[in-house]
Amino acid sequence: MNFLEFITEQQNTHMTHIEDKVLYGGVNGTRQAIFALRDMRDMLAGKKEGKVSVKWDGAPAIFAGTDPRDGKFFVAKKGIFNKNPKVYKTPEEVDADTSGDLAAKLKDALQYLPALGIKGVIQGDFLFGQGDLTKRKIDGVSYVTFHPNTIVYAVPANQAQEIQRAKIGIVWHTTYTGSTFETMKASYGVDVSKLKKTANVWSQDAMLRDVRSATMTKDETETVNEYLSQIGKLFNSISGTTLRALEGNPTLAQHIEQYNNTYVRAGAVIGNSKTHAENLVRWIKNKYKAEIDKRKTASGKATQQKKLDDLISFFSEENKANLVKMFELQKLIVLAKLKLINKLNRLSNLETFVKTRKGFKVTGQEGYVAIDTLGGDAVKLVDRMEFSYNNFSPDILKGWDKPTRN
């Protein structure tokens, strides 16, 4: 199974970071991550063709198209893939299930998106609705901005006429095919050339154009090559038994990811990998000790103790030694990923900022999805130390924050 086949087995409601394929994907997942980095290197080194899409920081995620059950137009949130799909076809259905800004955006989508003539089902990110555009100066430059989530997008005022005329703005990134919502498969990309034009909707796909202009230099390519060489050697030294054991224990993998995310949220870099592994065990024990202490009955305490014992049983001396290597492998994957992201960030035709109480600060895009047109691979690349820290930091004002937020 290649990387694209792996991705399209599930609807596009969540995608794992490339470095976390080591935790969740076992031997095959780790190999897929390495192949994806190699393909991306070759593309940015000018050795092969490829496509790259931007991960826009929109909100909410929105689905729209034709309900295969009755042929009627609908909009939806991620509940579209529930056992009983939740879709909205009238303003009354939106009001019965949502409220506030979300309801307003969904009703605007119901009003304006049918004019696009959408066939099938597509997914995108809502970027702005009525009243969400703001004219402002940042570092002396006049922009029209929209701030749907964490990132503030800024369009030079003299290039923003089309955006200012629109009632809503949406960027499309995923197409779905299938005879039922429950069995639909995702494929990256939306052919917006097949959508009709309407002044009320600023609608585009997420693809970056002319990736060749971001071609890496010889020195940059050699740096990535060195990371990939180290990654390959380290991967070959890790026991497949340990990788498969972790792949078969998604609960433990989730705990490790949560523990790693405590560093991301703090804006801290993971240091010594052996110490990190030891602290992980301590973190898991403390987490479940707190759960045990919360329980009032002996049976409740015993249930939590059993969960803890099951998790701790993984940490044999052999598995701990391999886990240390896995943390080192993740670090190398991140280093290679960041070199690629930094190159791609030069392609953006929009300025991106985050909003602080002291003003605006330049930031990169949320991330990228690289799509290999020859091999069919796709992978998500995100600078978690920048974007995820911004996303979690209380010092960064979000699109839903009020100006009077304390």
Side-chain angles (χ1 to χ4, degrees):
M1 180 178 290
N2 67 30
F3 200 86
L4 182 61
E5 290 169 339
F6 173 79
I7 288 292
T8 55
E9 284 298 311
Q10 54 189 327
Q11 287 92 2
N12 183 21
T13 56
H14 176 75
M15 188 162 46
T16 305
H17 291 276
I18 185 172
E19 61 269 26
D20 286 340
K21 294 295 180 187
V22 178
L23 301 179
Y24 292 103
V27 174
N28 287 336
T30 305
R31 189 175 290 120
Q32 288 161 358
I34 295 171
F35 288 165
L37 288 172
R38 288 177 181 172
D39 284 345
M40 190 77 166
R41 171 206 60 192
D42 291 344
M43 184 177 66
L44 290 178
K47 294 182 179 179
K48 66 187 298 184
E49 294 183 0
K51 292 183 179 180
V52 178
S53 69
V54 179
K55 281 189 61 60
W56 289 70
D57 185 35
I62 189 164
F63 300 77
T66 304
D67 187 332
R69 299 170 296 184
D70 60 14
K72 293 182 179 180
F73 181 83
F74 74 91
V75 297
K77 305 176 296 179
K78 292 183 179 180
I80 184 176
F81 298 124
N82 291 347
K83 185 175 182 180
N84 295 312
K86 184 170 289 187
V87 299
Y88 311 110
K89 299 173 184 175
T90 67
E92 291 75 20
E93 290 176 346
V94 173
D95 287 332
D97 189 55
T98 64
S99 61
D101 183 67
L102 175 58
K105 284 181 166 54
L106 289 172
K107 287 188 286 188
D108 279 348
L110 266 178
Q111 180 177 353
Y112 298 116
L113 291 184
L116 297 179
I118 298 170
K119 305 296 183 184
V121 178
I122 57 178
Q123 179 186 354
D125 291 312
F126 209 110
L127 299 178
F128 62 85
Q130 300 182 67
D132 290 337
L133 298 179
T134 303
K135 295 180 180 179
R136 56 164 50 98
K137 281 192 175 183
I138 303 176
D139 295 333
V141 180
S142 295
Y143 293 104
V144 173
T145 66
F146 48 95
H147 190 187
N149 207 343
T150 299
I151 293 176
V152 178
Y153 294 96
V155 183
N158 60 0
Q159 302 173 25
Q161 292 82 359
E162 185 179 351
I163 286 177
Q164 290 178 290
R165 286 195 298 269
K167 303 294 186 184
I168 61 175
I170 295 179
V171 60
W172 304 107
H173 54 70
T174 306
T175 299
Y176 291 88
T177 55
S179 58
T180 67
F181 288 127
E182 297 92 326
T183 60
M184 281 184 175
K185 297 294 190 296
S187 60
Y188 286 93
V190 174
D191 187 354
V192 294
S193 68
K194 294 182 179 179
L195 301 180
K196 297 177 182 178
K197 299 293 185 181
T198 169
N200 290 325
V201 182
W202 187 69
S203 174
Q204 64 175 29
D205 63 38
M207 299 306 298
L208 278 176
R209 307 301 178 194
D210 194 14
V211 176
R212 289 172 298 177
S213 63
T215 301
M216 292 192 297
T217 65
K218 181 181 178 181
D219 287 345
E220 289 170 334
T221 303
E222 288 178 354
T223 298
V224 175
N225 286 341
E226 178 58 29
Y227 287 140
L228 285 170
S229 176
Q230 294 178 45
I231 287 169
K233 292 175 182 177
L234 190 53
F235 175 46
N236 288 332
S237 74
I238 298 173
S239 168
T241 301
T242 299
L243 285 166
R244 285 186 288 271
L246 191 54
E247 180 185 13
N249 192 341
T251 299
L252 177 57
Q254 289 167 9
H255 279 69
I256 296 174
E257 183 183 5
Q258 290 170 7
Y259 175 63
N260 289 345
N261 280 342
T262 63
Y263 285 76
V264 173
R265 295 187 185 203
V269 176
I270 295 173
N272 182 279
S273 293
K274 183 176 181 181
T275 301
H276 189 68
E278 293 170 350
N279 289 341
L280 166 66
V281 176
R282 188 177 300 111
W283 181 84
I284 291 174
K285 288 180 177 178
N286 289 338
K287 179 181 177 69
Y288 276 88
K289 182 179 184 302
E291 291 299 319
I292 292 169
D293 291 343
K294 288 180 186 177
R295 301 308 189 268
K296 303 299 182 183
T297 65
S299 62
K301 291 178 181 293
T303 297
Q304 296 302 313
Q305 184 64 53
K306 175 66 163 54
K307 290 180 180 180
L308 173 59
D309 293 342
D310 289 344
L311 291 173
I312 294 300
S313 65
F314 167 83
F315 294 95
S316 65
E317 289 304 314
E318 181 181 1
N319 280 348
K320 281 195 292 186
N322 282 291
L323 186 60
V324 170
K325 294 180 181 180
M326 290 169 65
F327 287 145
E328 288 295 307
L329 182 59
Q330 285 187 301
K331 291 179 185 178
L332 287 169
I333 290 174
V334 168
L335 289 173
K337 174 185 76 171
L338 290 177
K339 292 293 290 186
L340 301 172
I341 288 175
N342 288 338
K343 200 66 179 179
L344 289 169
N345 277 340
R346 302 178 191 179
L347 285 173
S348 178
N349 57 2
L350 289 180
E351 300 292 338
T352 49
F353 301 89
V354 288
K355 185 178 181 181
T356 73
R357 293 180 179 83
K358 296 181 180 179
F360 292 88
K361 183 175 70 172
V362 173
T363 190
Q365 294 282 359
E366 176 186 346
Y368 300 91
V369 176
I371 306 162
D372 178 5
T373 56
L374 298 179
D377 294 337
V379 65
K380 167 177 148 181
L381 303 165
V382 175
D383 183 348
R384 295 168 90 174
M385 282 302 294
E386 180 175 49
F387 177 76
S388 297
Y389 174 71
N390 288 339
N391 197 32
F392 292 124
S393 173
D395 298 324
I396 303 299
L397 303 182
K398 311 305 188 292
W400 60 85
D401 288 322
K402 297 179 180 179
T404 55
R405 177 176 181 245
N406 293 322

